[in-house]
Amino acid sequence: MTPITVAKFGGTSVADYQAMLRCAHIIKNNPDNKLVVVSASAGVTNFLVRLSQPNVPIAEQDEIIKNIGNIQYNITQHLDEQDDLNQQISVLLEELAAYASANALNHSARISDAILSFGEQMSSRIFAQVLQSVRLPGQYFDVRQVMKTNDLYGKAVVNLEKLKANVSTILASKLESNVLVTQGFIGQNDAGYTTTLGRGGSDYSAALLAEALEADNLAIWTDVEGIFTTDPRITDQARSIKEISFGEAAEMATFGAKILHPATLIPAMRQNIPVFVGSSKEPEKGGTRIQQAVASKPTYRSIALRREQTLVTVKSPAMLHASGFLAKVFAVLAKHELSVDLITTSEISVAMTFDNPTGSTQALLNSTVVEELEQLCEVTVEHGLSLVAVVGNNIHQTNGVGTDIFEALSGVNVRMICQGASEHNLCFLVDEQQANLAVEQLHNNLFSVA
Ligand code: ADP
Ligand code: ASP
Ligand code: MG
């Protein structure tokens, strides 16, 4: 069997014609690149998110669809054979317009997901043709044939057995003579409706496909040259990490490093597929290799930041020496499908954090959940917090870690600390306004600046 690399290109990598052409050359430079997974062109999913909301006025719908069309036609205009492709894009835009007006009349999660899928549907068709323009056998493939999911619109769960079976019967043989270009982020449920896997989900799609194919490598091409010691947008002192273990990288992704969708490394770890992260703009700069065994295991590898956290504190004197109180609290949360991230307890109170990126947790916590919890205890809900995680190795067993970290945080109000559950991280909550400062100060202290 010839080696297979699954290559994923994110939104900025397929943002315009020049960017797509650079990606096509990356594919051309390595014949192992047999399956390409693309995101929507940069900006398109954000437009679609707006379109998928309830009651979008008709004039705004038209404006958004025009903007999306402009992004896509600005790419196709550079291609020699564009008529057929333009025709396909125009049909998709018409379909999108129909969904948008149906959604405005009668909003539903099902129609929202249908709307959100159009970015990837368009970028994948265009990129297949860009590959052909550099004389590669680029071929469009609709991932919904293989990526079967449940009905949880917006956060659909992939059926791994079906994916594996479909990939071997429908997809694998096509890789012999084609470079397949398919969509990240989207799937299909048993009823035949389109679903999506959650924002940033293309990384995860690519990893799932790599696992199902038993691929030799997964390459995530993005806008920075690998995983950095912290988000390079926060401090220019951040630098690219050459090599990192699956465990550390998975913690970074879980704790908010946007570079990888949180679930990306799970399939790669299951199948032990090394993952490369690099910049499609500057591939010659190299990037980060994520794999099982790494040469060095520094105590401090990186700092991740997750914004928009909600802290819920429940307090009840009845909790003192009582059993079953926490079970009741968690039963309420489970009933409302709320997932707790961090938790700390004291004698009569429990503090919990919730990820709140879309405002959905906030909405739920403000209404019924809080009322139900208040039947059991006193409840305080605080928004506007950020979670900072210091990721590394043996953090739970190394002397002086606490001193290094908390010395760096002078002037920062630390709200909640979690340590000990993982060998790979120590994390804490801070006010949103102090988040960047906390990361900068920590970075200066923990990583010697060149
Ligand atoms: P793509 O569209 O290619 O999926 P994303 O915007 O989702 O790209 O992710 C890349 C971005 O992740 C970078 O531009 C960077 O700002 C951000 N990021 C956050 N944490 C890190 C980190 N530790 N290392 C590198 N990039 C990071
Ligand atoms: N296009 C989707 C998003 O913007 C998925 C992705 O890019 O990973 O969230
Ligand atoms: Mg991303």
Side-chain angles (χ1 to χ4, degrees):
M1 279 257 292
T2 49
I4 296 177
T5 294
V6 174
K8 178 259 171 177
F9 294 99
T12 44
S13 301
V14 293
D16 53 43
Y17 174 70
Q18 291 306 332
M20 280 203 184
L21 201 56
R22 280 194 296 269
C23 298
H25 287 294
I26 289 174
I27 298 297
K28 205 168 183 180
N29 284 339
N30 180 357
D32 295 354
N33 285 317
K34 305 253 170 55
L35 178 65
V36 178
V37 177
V38 290
S39 292
S41 300
V44 170
T45 307
N46 286 347
F47 277 130
L48 294 171
V49 167
R50 173 65 191 134
L51 211 51
S52 71
Q53 287 164 353
N55 306 318
V56 180
I58 181 84
E60 191 182 345
Q61 294 173 35
D62 291 346
E63 184 64 24
I64 290 174
I65 291 168
K66 200 174 98 199
N67 286 329
I68 293 174
N70 286 343
I71 293 174
Q72 309 294 212
Y73 292 128
N74 276 340
I75 307 178
T76 61
Q77 64 167 336
H78 294 274
L79 292 163
D80 286 341
E81 284 169 39
Q82 47 170 280
D83 291 353
D84 186 41
L85 182 60
N86 281 343
Q87 176 61 22
Q88 290 177 40
I89 301 296
S90 126
V91 169
L92 286 170
L93 290 171
E94 274 166 33
E95 239 179 84
L96 174 61
Y99 277 118
S101 63
N103 187 58
L105 289 173
N106 197 359
H107 169 76
S108 76
R110 174 171 70 74
I111 301 182
S112 289
D113 263 14
I115 290 174
L116 292 178
S117 72
F118 277 83
E120 274 73 9
Q121 291 193 57
M122 291 191 274
S123 62
S124 52
R125 281 179 171 83
I126 299 172
F127 191 67
Q129 184 128 347
V130 172
L131 287 185
Q132 288 174 16
S133 76
V134 298
R135 291 189 295 285
L136 280 170
Q139 191 68 43
Y140 169 85
F141 181 84
D142 191 328
V143 85
R144 291 170 294 187
Q145 293 179 69
V146 298
M147 196 69 77
K148 301 298 174 184
T149 74
N150 68 3
D151 295 340
L152 203 59
Y153 294 108
K155 229 179 180 328
V157 179
V158 175
N159 182 322
L160 299 180
E161 280 93 56
K162 283 189 188 165
L163 171 64
K164 175 101 188 157
N166 292 337
V167 161
S168 62
T169 52
I170 308 171
L171 187 150
S173 61
K174 293 192 162 67
L175 300 179
E176 282 158 25
S177 49
N178 299 294
V179 178
L180 289 194
V181 182
T182 197
Q183 309 79 38
F185 183 53
I186 73 174
Q188 188 180 59
N189 62 19
D190 287 340
Y193 293 120
T194 299
T195 54
T196 63
L197 311 186
R199 287 306 303 267
S202 294
D203 301 325
Y204 184 45
S205 305
L208 286 171
L209 288 164
E211 179 189 29
L213 271 171
E214 298 180 15
D216 301 87
N217 284 291
L218 169 63
I220 307 275
W221 293 101
T222 179
D223 59 355
V224 285
E225 70 252 33
I227 299 185
F228 280 56
T229 45
T230 194
D231 188 341
R233 283 183 213 178
I234 299 179
T235 166
D236 58 11
Q237 302 296 325
R239 51 181 194 270
S240 177
I241 299 166
K242 285 287 146 239
E243 196 189 53
I244 185 170
S245 67
F246 278 133
E248 292 167 276
E251 297 252 347
M252 283 185 69
T254 309
F255 282 97
K258 193 184 171 226
I259 184 88
L260 289 176
H261 178 277
T264 311
L265 294 171
I266 298 168
M269 285 160 92
R270 278 195 297 251
Q271 188 66 33
N272 196 13
I273 302 170
V275 180
F276 170 83
V277 181
S279 160
S280 67
K281 210 167 186 177
E282 298 170 300
E284 67 289 347
K285 283 197 171 170
T288 302
R289 213 170 154 72
I290 312 169
Q291 55 199 6
Q292 207 151 30
V294 289
S296 79
K297 290 190 164 185
T299 306
Y300 306 120
R301 183 76 88 177
S302 67
I303 305 160
L305 175 64
R306 198 158 79 186
R307 299 184 198 273
E308 296 181 89
Q309 303 296 293
T310 295
L311 178 66
V312 176
T313 311
V314 297
K315 192 170 168 189
S316 168
M319 187 179 152
L320 193 62
H321 306 308
S323 61
F325 174 77
L326 277 182
K328 286 181 198 153
V329 169
F330 283 108
V332 172
L333 299 173
K335 191 173 108 193
H336 294 276
E337 293 185 13
L338 285 169
S339 115
V340 178
D341 278 328
L342 301 182
I343 173 159
T344 59
T345 66
S346 75
E347 271 180 3
I348 58 157
S349 65
V350 181
M352 300 167 279
T353 68
F354 296 85
D355 198 23
N356 188 19
T358 59
S360 55
T361 312
Q362 187 168 340
L364 279 171
L365 280 166
N366 276 344
S367 53
T368 7
V369 184
V370 173
E371 279 164 29
E372 283 183 34
L373 288 174
E374 276 170 349
Q375 312 276 318
L376 303 170
C377 50
E378 222 175 89
V379 183
T380 321
V381 180
E382 293 168 76
H383 302 293
L385 296 161
S386 287
L387 179 64
V388 179
V390 176
V391 174
N393 293 282
N394 264 324
I395 293 231
H396 62 326
Q397 279 179 341
T398 307
N399 288 341
V401 164
T403 319
D404 291 349
I405 293 175
F406 294 107
E407 255 178 21
L409 293 172
S410 72
V412 176
N413 180 16
V414 176
R415 297 295 313 279
M416 174 183 182
I417 304 167
C418 277
Q419 200 222 353
S422 159
E423 62 176 296
H424 288 306
N425 87 73
L426 181 154
C427 56
F428 53 90
L429 275 187
V430 297
D431 286 338
E432 176 59 40
Q433 289 82 356
Q434 294 198 302
N436 280 19
L437 176 74
V439 173
E440 277 175 70
Q441 289 185 188
L442 269 175
H443 197 275
N444 282 343
N445 249 48
L446 303 184
F447 302 96
S448 51
V449 182

